[in-house]
Amino acid sequence: ILNVEQSPQSLHVQEGDSTNFTCSFPSSNFYALHWYRWETAKSPEALFVMTLNGDEKKKGRISATLNTKEGYSYLYIKGSQPEDSATYLCASSTGANNLFFGTGTRLTVIP
Amino acid sequence: GAGVSQSPRYKVTKRGQDVALRCDPISGHVSLYWYRQALGQGPEFLTYFNYEAQQDKSGLPNDRFSAERPEGSISTLTIQRTEQRDSAMYRCASSLGASGGIYEQYFGPGTRLTVT
């Protein structure tokens, strides 16, 4: 079992603000890092999968970076909108296909 | 195309009964995963399959839990002699490939199990 930690647990931001949150994972035996967006009453949806140290991925106003040597990933949201309100989950893999998820960061964007 | 489907969506059962939860993955997806998700928490890994072979069942809580995927497509998670602590959302996911977790997973809507 991998210990994947996310911080903060929850976050409130004003519409238009930019924000970021952190996922920490064991750097030993690292293989892949996933970010998922999870809206209440829906299924988690994949945002990014990253494997290489220094990877940066972007989808619209959302981007993510990966540091495998120190075991962390940041998710950034630029110009937050109310529709960005969701729980953002990260998950790490050691190469055995199973993912270990963190408990998520619950983002609320206030109009 | 159709996404991952699960049935039933809701299941209420009495303690001691057996339940079977079904997952129908995206057609052509090699890997299938089962997770349990407590309220407000991230998914907790239970087990996964590549094709019909169960690769890892280390996350199954005890021997009352079992899973199968006999033809490499639909999977069933069975919980025998259910207990109240088994109450949770059970989610299934599938992915295109089986290469160490580099493929994104597509999640189903989940089955909400309540044991009374």
Side-chain angles (χ1 to χ4, degrees), chain B residues 41-105:
Chain B
Q41 300 293 311
E44 175 194 11
F45 170 78
L46 295 177
T47 185
Y48 87 93
F49 295 81
N50 287 342
Y51 301 101
E52 72 281 358
Q54 191 171 19
Q55 299 294 317
D56 184 343
K57 54 182 181 179
S58 63
L60 295 176
N62 51 61
D63 60 9
R64 294 186 297 106
F65 287 72
S66 63
E68 62 175 10
R69 193 187 185 197
E71 298 178 2
S73 180
I74 293 169
S75 176
T76 303
L77 177 71
T78 301
I79 308 173
Q80 295 180 308
R81 306 180 302 281
T82 52
E83 301 178 4
Q84 285 187 320
R85 59 179 170 154
D86 299 334
S87 296
M89 175 73 83
Y90 289 84
R91 287 199 192 271
C92 167
S94 68
S95 66
L96 186 61
S99 297
I102 66 171
Y103 291 96
E104 63 187 45
Q105 296 187 10

Side-chain angles (χ1 to χ4, degrees), chain A residues 52-73:
Chain A
L52 299 177
N53 185 46
D55 256 355
E56 290 188 31
K57 296 219 171 175
K58 186 175 181 181
K59 186 181 290 188
R61 294 179 291 98
I62 303 177
S63 60
T65 61
L66 179 65
N67 183 322
T68 62
K69 297 187 185 304
E70 296 184 35
Y72 64 83
S73 174

Side-chain angles (χ1 to χ4, degrees), chain B residues 7-8 11 18-22 34 75-79 82 111 113:
Chain B
S7 61
K11 178 70 177 178
D18 298 350
V19 294
L21 312 181
R22 173 185 164 127
W34 282 100
S75 176
T76 303
L77 177 71
T78 301
I79 308 173
T82 52
T111 295
L113 174 66

Side-chain angles (χ1 to χ4, degrees), chain A residues 31-32 34 36 38 42-44 46 49 51 89 93-103 106, chain B residues 31 33 35 37 40-43 45 48 50 56 91 98-105 107-109:
Chain A
Y31 203 85
H34 294 224
Y36 289 83
W38 175 36
K42 294 187 178 180
S43 307
V49 179
T51 58
L89 296 165
S93 165
T94 58
N97 262 27
N98 46 337
L99 290 180
F100 294 93
F101 282 82
T103 53
R106 182 187 294 270
Chain B
S31 298
Y33 311 81
Y35 295 92
Q37 192 168 17
Q41 300 293 311
F45 170 78
Y48 87 93
N50 287 342
D56 184 343
R91 287 199 192 271
S99 297
I102 66 171
Y103 291 96
E104 63 187 45
Q105 296 187 10
F107 283 82

Side-chain angles (χ1 to χ4, degrees), chain A residues 5-86:
Chain A
E5 296 183 346
Q6 293 188 245
S7 63
Q9 191 172 15
S10 66
L11 188 59
H12 290 73
V13 301
Q14 292 289 331
E15 182 177 355
D17 286 352
S18 294
T19 188
N20 65 87
F21 22 92
T22 306
C23 172
S24 301
F25 54 88
S27 56
S28 59
N29 300 318
F30 170 84
Y31 203 85
L33 191 285
H34 294 224
W35 280 101
Y36 289 83
R37 181 174 181 275
W38 175 36
E39 289 183 70
T40 303
K42 294 187 178 180
S43 307
E45 292 183 349
L47 289 172
F48 307 112
V49 179
M50 297 182 288
T51 58
L52 299 177
N53 185 46
D55 256 355
E56 290 188 31
K57 296 219 171 175
K58 186 175 181 181
K59 186 181 290 188
R61 294 179 291 98
I62 303 177
S63 60
T65 61
L66 179 65
N67 183 322
T68 62
K69 297 187 185 304
E70 296 184 35
Y72 64 83
S73 174
Y74 293 135
L75 189 79
Y76 300 90
I77 302 178
K78 184 177 178 181
S80 303
Q81 300 297 307
E83 58 266 29
D84 296 329
S85 297

